[in-house]
Amino acid sequence: MSTINRQSVDILTHKKFLETFFSGLVHMPGKGVNESITEDTNAAYVRVVRQNLPGFEPRRLGSTVNGGSFNSDDAAEPSSVEYELSLTDLYDGNFDIAEVTTDMFSLPLVERTMEDMAGEVDTAVNAATLAEQLRAWANSAAKNEGAQKITLPAEIGDTTYREAVFKAGAILDDGDIDNGVQFYPADQREIIARPMFCAELFSKWNLGAGDITRALLERGVISEGTYKSNGEMFVGEIDNTPVYKAPSVIWKRAAKELCFSVNGVPSYARSNSVHENVAARSEMDKIEAIVVSAVGTVRGLALGNHIKSIDSPRGAGIRLQPKFRYGVETLYGTSVVPIVKNGFDLTKLTAYTSESDNRLLVRMPVKSQTA
């Protein structure tokens, strides 16, 4: 009961819920991740096989070394490298809605709850994907395995963000031949960026005047022929690469999904953990964006029959039982190029040496674990 000036007053519940907005998935299949190999997700693990290159070199007939009519080199045989994608991250909490509650509450609780569950899954998958890509990049960079980054200068100019994106794209153009990738295809890339980075990237352009400029601004993109119709978080294209903004909640959750191994034993970088590495969390905040290739990251989503409704075992009412299962694995750290603020220090994220793997980044799901 509510009163004003000692007089009881009525309370009217609005006929609609306040909308809860979720970003949806920001890593697009075929752009930021590869989902084509994981259409069947009934298993706990998916084995991914990459065939090694034959490794032949051309020869010249008549040469003093291997110049005969028949190649004198030993015959090669097929060989491959195996990777394993784990589909063991699970969103499956029980949610009870008592019948007496729905009797006294006119709003559609069940429908709203199911929509919110789907939104929470999107957030979890976004964070898991971003965390895994940053994990693979950081480990590769720490071990000098070819992963690179672009560091923004201390003084930011009108072209700084644009130049950073072009340079990151050039790094992907150079590929990773050690993993059988001569170049990361331009049509299988995506930029995931913080909202303010997107604002800076797309606002500082001197396009001049004219009908084409006006049309580009109306569509919210800077490439003619591109339309802003690829989802709510799509910003536009630059260097023929789609740009998606990821809000802070995704970056913060990704930071929580990264933990550190101390002499091979994982410790959780969570706010309630005695092992929290504050310096590492601060460095994560300095990552403004990543330019990523789908070639390097595989993701599986097992979402079929994803929410079951049963009678609540606690009494009159229903129990919603979601079952969303997913997994992400970044195979090549070189497929991820972060754009970082000036002053970013990789050694605060990883302290890898040839003798020790202390504080090497490892991805773990955010659930109820503590150290």
Side-chain angles (χ1 to χ4, degrees):
M1 186 68 69
S2 180
T3 62
I4 298 177
N5 295 331
R6 300 187 301 276
Q7 173 64 48
S8 296
V9 296
D10 290 336
I11 297 176
L12 176 66
T13 299
H14 188 54
K15 298 300 183 183
K16 292 185 178 180
F17 282 109
L18 285 175
E19 191 73 20
T20 303
F21 293 100
F22 294 93
S23 64
L25 296 179
V26 295
H27 291 79
M28 295 295 105
K31 296 294 184 180
V33 293
N34 177 8
E35 291 182 352
S36 62
I37 65 166
T38 54
E39 295 173 358
D40 181 4
T41 53
N42 290 324
Y45 298 92
V46 176
R47 180 176 295 138
V48 184
V49 179
R50 176 177 63 81
Q51 187 75 7
N52 287 327
L53 297 173
F56 294 142
E57 294 287 349
R59 66 188 186 96
R60 176 170 290 177
L61 290 173
S63 173
T64 55
V65 178
N66 196 11
S69 298
F70 292 96
N71 194 321
S72 61
D73 287 342
D74 293 337
E77 295 182 1
S79 64
S80 60
V81 179
E82 291 186 358
Y83 304 92
E84 196 173 74
L85 170 63
S86 168
L87 299 176
T88 54
D89 288 358
L90 190 62
Y91 177 97
D92 65 343
N94 292 315
F95 195 92
D96 285 343
I97 301 177
E99 192 172 292
V100 65
T101 302
T102 57
D103 288 345
M104 297 185 299
F105 198 64
S106 60
L107 299 183
L109 273 175
V110 176
E111 293 83 353
R112 180 71 263 173
T113 300
M114 294 174 70
E115 291 174 7
D116 288 347
M117 285 179 175
E120 286 187 344
V121 170
D122 283 348
T123 301
V125 172
N126 283 332
T129 307
L130 181 59
E132 170 62 12
Q133 290 174 334
L134 291 174
R135 178 206 65 80
W137 165 79
N139 286 340
S140 176
K143 292 185 280 187
N144 295 317
E145 292 179 344
Q148 301 182 57
K149 68 180 184 303
I150 299 297
T151 303
L152 297 171
E155 297 293 329
I156 303 297
D158 288 349
T159 63
T160 298
Y161 292 89
R162 184 165 73 248
E163 290 172 359
V165 168
F166 286 137
K167 289 177 181 177
I171 290 174
L172 292 179
D173 288 340
D174 216 20
D176 181 0
I177 194 59
D178 291 339
N179 285 305
V181 182
Q182 285 197 349
F183 75 103
Y184 289 105
D187 62 348
Q188 297 183 46
R189 299 180 190 174
E190 184 177 358
I191 300 168
I192 308 293
R194 296 180 186 269
M196 191 55 68
F197 182 93
C198 294
E200 294 287 346
L201 178 63
F202 284 90
S203 64
K204 295 182 177 180
W205 286 79
N206 184 8
L207 297 176
D211 293 338
I212 293 179
T213 298
R214 184 167 59 253
L216 294 179
L217 293 175
E218 287 174 353
R219 294 201 299 268
V221 299
I222 54 175
S223 301
E224 189 174 4
T226 301
Y227 290 85
K228 192 173 181 178
S229 58
N230 295 338
E232 182 65 29
M233 307 312 287
F234 177 71
V235 182
E237 284 190 0
I238 181 171
D239 195 22
N240 296 317
T241 305
V243 182
Y244 283 79
K245 55 188 174 185
S248 296
V249 64
I250 294 174
W251 292 90
K252 289 179 179 178
R253 180 157 178 157
K256 290 181 179 180
E257 294 208 7
L258 293 169
C259 71
F260 311 91
S261 65
V262 180
N263 293 326
V265 179
S267 59
Y268 300 100
R270 293 172 54 85
S271 59
N272 62 344
S273 170
V274 295
H275 293 284
E276 181 179 10
N277 189 320
V278 177
R281 189 71 59 80
S282 175
E283 293 309 301
M284 285 286 294
D285 290 340
K286 296 177 183 177
I287 300 176
E288 294 277 13
I290 61 171
V291 183
V292 60
S293 170
V295 171
T297 299
V298 292
R299 182 171 73 185
L301 306 176
L303 306 181
N305 300 319
H306 55 277
I307 299 182
K308 182 170 65 173
S309 175
I310 65 172
D311 290 338
S312 174
R314 298 168 61 190
I318 65 170
R319 169 167 289 184
L320 298 179
Q321 295 180 313
K323 189 186 71 171
F324 296 90
R325 191 160 50 86
Y326 60 92
V328 189
E329 184 74 23
T330 297
L331 310 179
Y332 318 131
T334 55
S335 67
V336 183
V337 183
I339 298 173
V340 302
K341 291 180 179 179
N342 189 268
F344 175 85
D345 186 356
L346 178 62
T347 63
K348 292 183 179 179
L349 281 182
T350 60
Y352 177 85
T353 67
S354 58
E355 296 82 19
S356 170
D357 67 347
N358 285 358
R359 293 194 290 148
L360 193 62
L361 281 168
V362 180
R363 192 192 66 74
M364 287 293 289
V366 173
K367 298 192 190 300
S368 58
Q369 303 108 319
T370 57

